[in-house]
């Protein structure tokens, strides 16, 4: 099987997008990207198309590809895919190896990625390349149902602005968000967000932000001050108040770390796990 690796920036972008759709045609969840949505992803997730790779055959057909995201000295592997008829020929491994070499050349500290827990083949590939399981990320969903939780007397919920999330993000997250919900990604999404703040004695002690509407409440991020005693109760009250504002909406949140303070409150409010992913890490340079 003859092929070579070239930067994604060297191939026709539409052909690249088509190849991603083909590689994900039999994926665990429906996944389809357009050239526009892929450009959005590249921008939001800091993907470096010069350092990402596609495998092409002698006629220029794209057999597979993978993206490398870079933020300071951290890297992320995403959109890994090989078109079905070329799988199990070692192409995925060769592409991944070349991105790891790129990360080494850039002196990145580590690479992270996410893989759906049922995706045994991809998980094996990552594990044999040295990636180790860090934690499980949960995708939550909630049908339309009543909310009985009330906001305790010491708290109030008020409307906020996207800037508030940026202001409190670092302070209110004791555990790091996965790549696609880190501050850089959220900043690109915030313009269209609604934000609610939880206050106590005039101070902001929590926030929740996302796309809130009468049909869907998609939570993108929530943070609670580590300085208050009843953090889980506070998080539940804040989220409950948003759900009460939109009583006919379904709701969801993507990639919530199992160690995140919001997990128990979400479960108490009737959110169910629909999918789980492993977050994996490969340490490149111990600094
Ligand atoms: C995951 C994927 C990229 C692997 O690409 P590939 O080119 O087939 O992988 P390789 O041939 O390099 O396989 C390398 C190793 O990965 C593991 N592996 C890959 N596919 C596997 C499968 N279906 N079942 C079990 N192990 C598998 C094996 O350890 C394999 O080594 P081996 O063939 O010597 O046993 C490809 O299956 C794919 O595109 N899947 C759909 C999209 C997807 O799931 N992307 C990953 C998202 S996290």
């Amino acid at each position: 099987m003859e092929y070579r690796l070239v930067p994604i920036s060297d191939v026709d972008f539409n052909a690249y997008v088509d190849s991603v759709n083909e590689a994900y045609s039999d994926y665990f969840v429906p996944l389809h990207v357009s050239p526009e949505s892929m450009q959005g992803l590249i921008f939001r997730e800091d993907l470096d198309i010069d350092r990402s790779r596609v495998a092409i055959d002698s006629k220029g057909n794209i057999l597979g590809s993978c993206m490398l995201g870079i933020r300071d000295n951290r890297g992320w592997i995403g959109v890994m895919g090989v078109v079905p008829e070329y799988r199990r020929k070692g192409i995925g491994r060769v592409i991944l190896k070349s991105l790891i070499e790129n990360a080494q050349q850039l002196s990145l500290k580590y690479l992270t990625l996410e893989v759906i827990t049922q995706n045994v083949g991809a998980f094996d590939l990552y594990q044999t390349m040295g990636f180790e399981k860090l934690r499980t990320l949960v995708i939550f969903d909630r049908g339309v149902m009543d909310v009985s939780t009330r906001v305790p007397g010491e708290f109030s919920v008020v409307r906020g602005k996207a800037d508030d999330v940026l202001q409190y993000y670092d302070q209110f997250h004791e555990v790091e968000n996965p790549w696609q919900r880190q501050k850089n990604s959220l900043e690109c999404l915030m313009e269209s967000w609604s934000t609610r703040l939880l206050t106590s004695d005039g101070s902001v002690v929590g926030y929740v932000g996302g796309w809130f509407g009468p049909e869907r409440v998609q939570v993108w991020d929530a943070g609670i001050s580590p300085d208050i005693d009843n953090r889980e109760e506070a998080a539940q009250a804040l989220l409950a108040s948003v759900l009460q504002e939109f009583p006919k909406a379904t709701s969801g949140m993507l990639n919530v770390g199992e160690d995140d303070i919001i997990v128990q409150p979400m479960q108490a409010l009737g959110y169910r796990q629909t999918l789980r992913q492993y977050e994996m890490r490969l340490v490149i340079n111990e600094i």
Side-chain angles (χ1 to χ4, degrees):
M1 179 76 246
E2 283 214 6
Y3 63 91
R4 63 194 171 97
L5 300 188
V6 297
I8 288 181
S9 48
D10 277 12
V11 297
D12 176 74
F13 192 70
N14 290 343
Y16 161 66
V17 170
D18 287 346
S19 76
V20 170
N21 287 325
E22 209 181 328
Y24 279 84
S25 55
D26 56 353
Y27 198 50
F28 298 85
V29 288
L31 199 149
H32 186 89
V33 283
S34 63
E36 294 72 31
S37 64
M38 183 58 90
Q39 290 289 10
L41 194 76
I42 290 168
F43 178 66
R44 209 165 57 234
E45 314 303 354
D46 296 301
L47 305 179
D48 184 330
I49 57 170
D50 296 322
R51 294 197 167 91
S52 301
R53 292 287 178 266
V54 290
I56 53 171
D57 68 11
S58 55
K59 293 181 184 149
N61 298 313
I62 299 175
L63 314 181
S65 60
C66 189
M67 286 279 198
L68 177 65
I70 303 169
R71 285 178 181 154
D72 304 322
N73 59 359
R74 298 166 293 132
W76 183 72
I77 295 291
V79 211
M80 161 69 120
V82 172
V83 299
E85 57 178 303
Y86 292 104
R87 288 190 192 150
R88 292 313 282 274
K89 297 178 193 302
I91 297 174
R93 190 191 296 280
V94 167
I95 300 174
L96 186 58
K97 191 163 171 285
S98 111
L99 294 196
I100 294 171
E101 285 163 6
N102 285 350
Q104 283 163 339
Q105 276 168 16
L106 289 163
S107 300
L108 299 188
K109 201 167 154 191
Y110 56 78
L111 285 171
T112 53
L113 57 80
E114 296 95 42
V115 55
I116 292 176
T117 53
Q118 299 104 303
N119 198 348
V120 181
F123 180 78
D124 271 11
L125 167 60
Y126 300 141
Q127 219 173 20
T128 58
M129 296 299 285
F131 284 83
E132 289 178 2
K133 216 193 288 180
L134 265 186
R135 59 177 169 173
T136 304
L137 308 175
V138 181
I139 294 166
F140 277 118
D141 215 66
R142 181 184 191 274
V144 179
M145 63 184 98
D146 291 342
V147 182
S148 55
T149 307
R150 295 282 171 261
V151 177
E154 71 263 37
F155 296 118
S156 321
V157 176
V158 295
R159 281 169 191 260
K161 299 186 300 293
D163 287 355
D164 295 318
V165 174
L166 291 181
Q167 184 184 339
Y168 295 108
Y169 180 93
D170 294 322
Q171 199 185 332
F172 288 2
H173 280 289
E174 283 199 307
V175 298
E176 202 184 353
N177 275 351
W179 189 273
Q180 288 167 299
R181 291 199 306 102
Q182 283 172 1
K183 206 175 181 178
N184 305 46
S185 298
L186 298 181
E187 271 185 273
C188 302
L189 292 160
M190 277 175 181
E191 219 179 319
S192 55
W193 274 16
S194 303
T195 306
R196 300 291 179 271
L197 304 175
L198 188 71
T199 64
S200 173
D201 283 337
S203 302
V204 175
V205 294
Y207 70 76
V208 58
W211 296 323
F212 304 163
E215 288 176 12
R216 181 80 180 165
V217 169
Q218 185 66 29
V219 179
W220 270 99
D221 195 40
I224 295 288
S225 167
D227 299 332
I228 58 171
D229 297 331
N230 41 358
R231 292 183 78 205
E232 287 186 341
E233 193 193 345
Q236 185 171 330
L238 175 58
L239 199 49
S241 112
V242 176
L243 295 172
Q244 279 155 359
E245 254 186 82
F246 303 99
K248 298 271 186 298
T250 60
S251 181
M253 187 169 177
L254 297 174
N255 285 359
V256 185
E258 61 188 341
D259 48 357
D260 195 304
I261 187 80
I262 199 77
V263 169
Q264 193 277 332
M266 292 191 94
Q267 284 170 334
L269 288 167
Y271 284 84
R272 296 283 164 257
Q273 301 186 11
T274 56
L275 213 60
R276 291 160 71 83
Q277 300 211 86
Y278 294 129
E279 186 177 32
M280 301 183 83
R281 173 175 291 183
L282 173 70
V283 176
I284 311 247
N285 290 300
E286 302 264 16
I287 299 171

